[in-house]
Amino acid sequence: MGLSRYEISQILRTFEESHFADLHIKSGDTVLDLKKTSTHNATPPSGESERSTQSLELLQSTTPHPLEPQEQPTRYITVAAPALGVFRRSSPFDELPLVEAGDEVSVNDTLAFLDLLGTLTPVTPGQPGRVAEICAEADQLVEYQQELFKIQVLELP
Amino acid sequence: MKNISRVLVANRGEIAVRIIRACRSLGLETVVAVSSADRESMAAQLADRAICIGPPSATQSYLRIDTLVGVALGSGCDAIHPGYGFRAESPELADMTRSQGLVFVGPQGETMRRMANKLQAREEAKELGVPLLPGSKLMTSAAHAELVAESIGWPLLIKAAAGGGGRGMKLVFTHDQLEPALASAAAEAQAAFGDGSLYLEHYVPKAHHVEVQILGDSHGNVVHLGERDCSVQRRYQKLIEEAPADILFPELRDGLRQAALSIARNLAYENAGTVEFLVDPEAQKFYFLEVNARIQVEHPVTELVTGIDLVQAQLRVASGEPLWFTQSDVVLTGHAMECRINAEDPAENFRPSPGRIKEWSAPNGEGIRLDSHCFDGYIVPPFYDSMIGKLIVHGADREETLKRLQLALENFQVSGISTTIPFLKSVISHPDFQSGNISTSWLENLLKDKSEDDA
């Protein structure tokens, strides 16, 4: 057993208020290596005079950093070709590509078409998100289930 | 090769491998269309490029004409070889391929249409003076069938007008069997061909199935490459084929070949095809059955006795090359036999046996050829035909060929799945087969007798 999140936060608060420059704690499978550092702002914001601030730097910890918010891992989905066809990035009525990398798309948006002897099959993401990568080359034949797009899934706030 | 530099192989299994090898010999590049179940197949490994065209289901992959033509165009192919089965005899595929400016390695779509309708094929053969079995026109009702049955003569074979391969085919011996058999045949034909039209033909119990290989070019030249005896059948499916057909006396053999050529010329036949006949050996008579407008599974036995590579020949004539030999150049040497090896369990009524092949140890030696797509570790998918290979043997005569075939089957080791190898060993060891005393009903009767003995 290691330290709980509560215990780690108590230790950090105590260490911050103490005159110790660094602190090493090992408890069970938790190891904390803490060190106080000085930060000098070259250009102080808001016209404030130069000042020295102290911050805590967690050098090593086997448990999540208690002071930083937990970052959600970025999730991607792959949009694969539902059929064989020539990968068309634009509609027959417009030369502009339907989407570009970075565009936000909703579940039924047409990302591209697969052209089989003039019959167009729309490619949709199936999930809302942001186009992270276009994986196939325009106007080239793509196979059944070939990776066409990587979509970054946008988490609801 | 004029017009062709890259070929789309629109098929799978052993014939896809066979076509790729023929292309390679002619210096042609290959693209093989594969379903997602065949991504790791031997054909996919051998071809210059393999493109996945759809899921395992054939209706969503190998049978999709627009997909096959689309993949050929998109991958820079200038020809499509359809192999056999799937869409090989589809006039729609042939026409669409040609309308897109590509070469179709097979006959004209119109030829396929004329021969796909079995009644029309009979009519055309009749006009050419080719003998036919007594038969009917299209059946309009069971009462109609009852009426014409007597004039044709019992027993009768009910046949599907739109198709072949044994589907929609029913054998009836008596009046009371006729009506239920018609209903069952119509349903089967409707399901298989989308057309439940039927006709009747007289059934010859001790007949041989003999077919003549034809080859035509686009310049009006047609030759035959001898005949094959394909009488060992189960459920109208061929299991063992041989060339030449030893039951034919010279006069009958010549008549058969001339009839095949006459039909081919009348069709202005292009590419490889087969004219099938029923032969009554006792009466030394033959009757026209149908034309198969494609390369046949059993083509290797003809290749071994003629020395002509039929798949290469298909590609050459499809490219517009005139036939490079005449009829008198065709010389048949020795005897050849082919056994179709299926992934089936004969002890379980030939139930398909897909799965991983643990060991694939094929025989080799003088006169032995194996056309297969299998290897150690290959998974036989459950979605397609169960044929996993064809063992083809050539010898100086039937006796030597048979001995070599027996030895080859003895040395053929496959484990992990059930195969028909042990069954084939017992078939070719049977005294009737050894002496050539067989017919199209011989194997069925043998199996029936065995099943009754076991019961």
Side-chain angles (χ1 to χ4, degrees):
Chain A
M1 281 289 287
L3 297 167
S4 69
R5 289 171 67 110
Y6 175 77
E7 286 168 328
I8 291 171
S9 68
Q10 290 299 311
I11 292 167
L12 284 168
R13 188 171 299 126
T14 308
F15 174 63
E16 199 175 8
E17 289 165 3
S18 76
H19 63 277
F20 293 121
D22 40 62
L23 179 71
H24 176 83
I25 294 175
K26 186 175 181 201
S27 171
D29 54 9
T30 304
V31 178
L32 286 177
D33 252 324
L34 304 172
K35 187 172 77 172
K36 285 177 184 164
T37 55
S38 295
T39 306
H40 296 276
N41 292 341
T43 317
S46 321
E48 283 183 29
S49 61
E50 188 178 308
R51 64 189 173 100
S52 172
T53 58
Q54 281 195 326
S55 68
L56 282 173
E57 186 184 341
L58 181 64
L59 299 179
Q60 190 184 352
S61 172
T62 56
T63 53
H65 196 307
L67 292 182
E68 287 179 3
Q70 285 283 297
E71 264 190 35
Q72 291 290 329
T74 311
R75 230 166 35 89
Y76 294 93
I77 56 160
T78 297
V79 179
L84 173 130
V86 176
F87 184 59
R88 304 285 188 212
R89 288 199 51 209
S90 54
S91 86
F93 314 107
D94 195 350
E95 284 183 7
L96 289 174
L98 291 150
V99 290
E100 293 284 7
D103 287 355
E104 280 194 23
V105 291
S106 57
V107 63
N108 287 322
D109 279 355
T110 299
L111 307 180
F113 288 100
L114 295 176
D115 180 351
L116 185 64
L117 303 175
T119 302
L120 301 179
T121 304
V123 178
T124 54
Q127 197 163 340
R130 179 177 288 124
V131 178
E133 191 183 342
I134 300 166
C135 313
E137 210 175 315
D139 303 324
Q140 295 299 306
L141 184 75
V142 293
E143 306 184 57
Y144 169 67
Q145 286 189 333
Q146 184 174 330
E147 195 172 292
L148 301 180
F149 295 94
K150 268 197 181 126
I151 304 290
Q152 181 189 345
V153 177
L154 299 178
E155 301 298 338
L156 293 171
Chain B
M1 187 179 288
K2 198 177 79 177
N3 300 335
I4 304 179
S5 59
R6 188 181 295 163
V7 178
L8 178 82
V9 182
N11 213 301
R12 64 175 303 283
E14 72 84 22
I15 192 63
V17 171
R18 172 78 187 86
I19 296 165
I20 291 165
R21 291 198 164 128
C23 288
R24 199 174 275 177
S25 301
L26 293 170
L28 306 175
E29 289 180 30
T30 51
V31 175
V32 64
V34 295
S35 77
S36 55
D38 284 332
R39 280 182 192 271
E40 310 300 326
S41 65
M42 186 185 280
Q45 293 170 45
L46 288 176
D48 293 294
R49 187 179 172 192
I51 297 178
C52 186
I53 56 167
S57 161
T59 52
Q60 294 177 72
S61 51
Y62 297 109
L63 288 170
R64 288 205 52 165
I65 291 171
D66 55 351
T67 300
L68 297 173
V69 177
V71 73
L73 286 169
S75 59
C77 290
D78 31 38
I80 296 181
H81 195 309
Y84 54 71
F86 293 127
R87 292 295 191 196
E89 285 182 276
S90 160
E92 291 79 17
L93 176 62
D95 290 349
M96 191 188 280
T97 301
R98 290 183 173 118
S99 73
Q100 295 289 333
L102 306 178
V103 172
F104 182 77
V105 185
Q108 293 295 327
E110 187 50 31
T111 305
M112 293 180 186
R113 274 189 196 91
R114 281 164 69 181
M115 293 299 104
N117 185 321
K118 305 304 172 194
L119 282 169
Q120 184 179 344
R122 272 174 65 92
E123 279 304 310
E124 291 197 25
K126 191 179 172 184
E127 281 172 24
L128 295 168
V130 176
L132 296 175
L133 280 166
S136 72
K137 294 195 184 302
L138 208 63
M139 287 295 99
T140 50
S141 65
H144 180 204
E146 288 279 357
L147 214 62
V148 294
E150 285 303 330
S151 62
I152 294 169
W154 299 89
L156 292 167
L157 204 53
I158 302 170
K159 289 181 152 185
R167 284 170 298 182
M169 212 183 271
K170 300 283 170 198
L171 178 59
V172 284
F173 291 91
T174 56
H175 272 288
D176 56 331
Q177 292 175 335
L178 190 56
E179 194 169 342
L182 281 166
S184 154
E188 218 173 273
Q190 182 67 40
F193 314 113
D195 180 354
S197 309
L198 303 171
Y199 67 101
L200 303 178
E201 207 173 71
H202 178 65
Y203 177 73
V204 181
K206 291 215 164 182
H208 278 240
H209 174 115
V210 180
E211 58 189 33
V212 178
Q213 177 70 54
I214 54 168
L215 183 64
D217 63 21
S218 54
H219 305 273
N221 304 306
V222 184
V223 294
H224 75 78
L225 300 175
E227 63 289 325
R228 301 183 283 256
D229 189 327
C230 313
S231 301
V232 180
Q233 301 181 4
R234 180 182 163 267
R235 294 187 178 173
Y236 307 110
Q237 299 294 317
K238 298 162 189 168
L239 288 183
I240 301 172
E241 303 97 345
E242 52 189 300
D246 281 354
I247 51 144
L248 302 176
F249 292 162
E251 202 175 303
L252 187 67
R253 189 189 306 275
D254 191 52
L256 204 76
R257 290 173 175 178
Q258 292 311 315
L261 284 176
S262 159
I263 289 169
R265 286 195 192 103
N266 183 53
L267 290 164
Y269 199 91
E270 289 178 36
N271 221 276
T274 302
V275 186
E276 296 190 336
F277 298 93
L278 205 70
V279 171
D280 183 342
E282 281 176 20
Q284 282 289 299
K285 284 185 173 173
F286 69 87
Y287 309 96
F288 169 75
L289 285 177
E290 62 181 30
V291 174
N292 293 139
R294 60 164 193 273
I295 189 84
Q296 297 268 93
V297 174
E298 59 271 25
H299 75 271
V301 290
T302 298
E303 292 185 321
L304 291 187
V305 294
T306 60
I308 294 167
D309 187 310
L310 273 166
V311 182
Q312 285 189 32
Q314 281 192 290
L315 290 156
R316 289 174 68 177
V317 294
S319 77
E321 190 177 333
L323 278 179
W324 51 98
F325 57 89
T326 62
Q327 191 62 66
S328 58
D329 296 326
V330 179
V331 180
L332 306 185
T333 308
H335 199 96
M337 282 186 187
E338 174 185 278
C339 281
R340 300 188 189 191
I341 317 284
N342 293 340
E344 292 171 356
D345 187 351
E348 294 289 332
N349 197 26
F350 297 87
R351 187 175 64 193
S353 174
R356 184 183 292 278
I357 295 174
K358 283 186 192 153
E359 184 201 5
W360 178 264
S361 177
N364 52 44
E366 195 182 349
I368 296 172
R369 163 177 162 181
L370 181 73
D371 283 13
S372 175
H373 55 292
C374 295
F375 48 88
D376 286 345
Y378 173 68
I379 296 172
V380 179
F383 313 105
Y384 314 107
D385 182 274
S386 60
M387 195 174 75
I388 52 172
K390 303 181 310 200
L391 180 62
I392 314 115
V393 174
H394 187 227
D397 51 30
R398 191 173 192 268
E399 196 182 340
E400 186 182 64
T401 305
L402 201 44
K403 277 184 188 159
R404 283 184 176 169
L405 182 60
Q406 277 176 309
L407 199 61
L409 283 169
E410 288 295 335
N411 290 324
F412 204 152
Q413 304 298 325
V414 181
S415 68
I417 57 167
S418 295
T419 75
T420 50
I421 293 172
F423 171 73
L424 290 164
K425 278 195 255 183
S426 71
V427 171
I428 66 163
S429 305
H430 195 282
D432 286 349
F433 184 82
Q434 297 261 330
S435 65
N437 183 27
I438 52 166
S439 69
T440 50
S441 55
W442 172 73
L443 186 59
E444 287 286 7
N445 291 336
L446 196 71
L447 289 168
K448 199 173 144 197
D449 292 347
K450 188 180 177 304
S451 146
E452 281 167 7
D453 287 350
D454 291 348

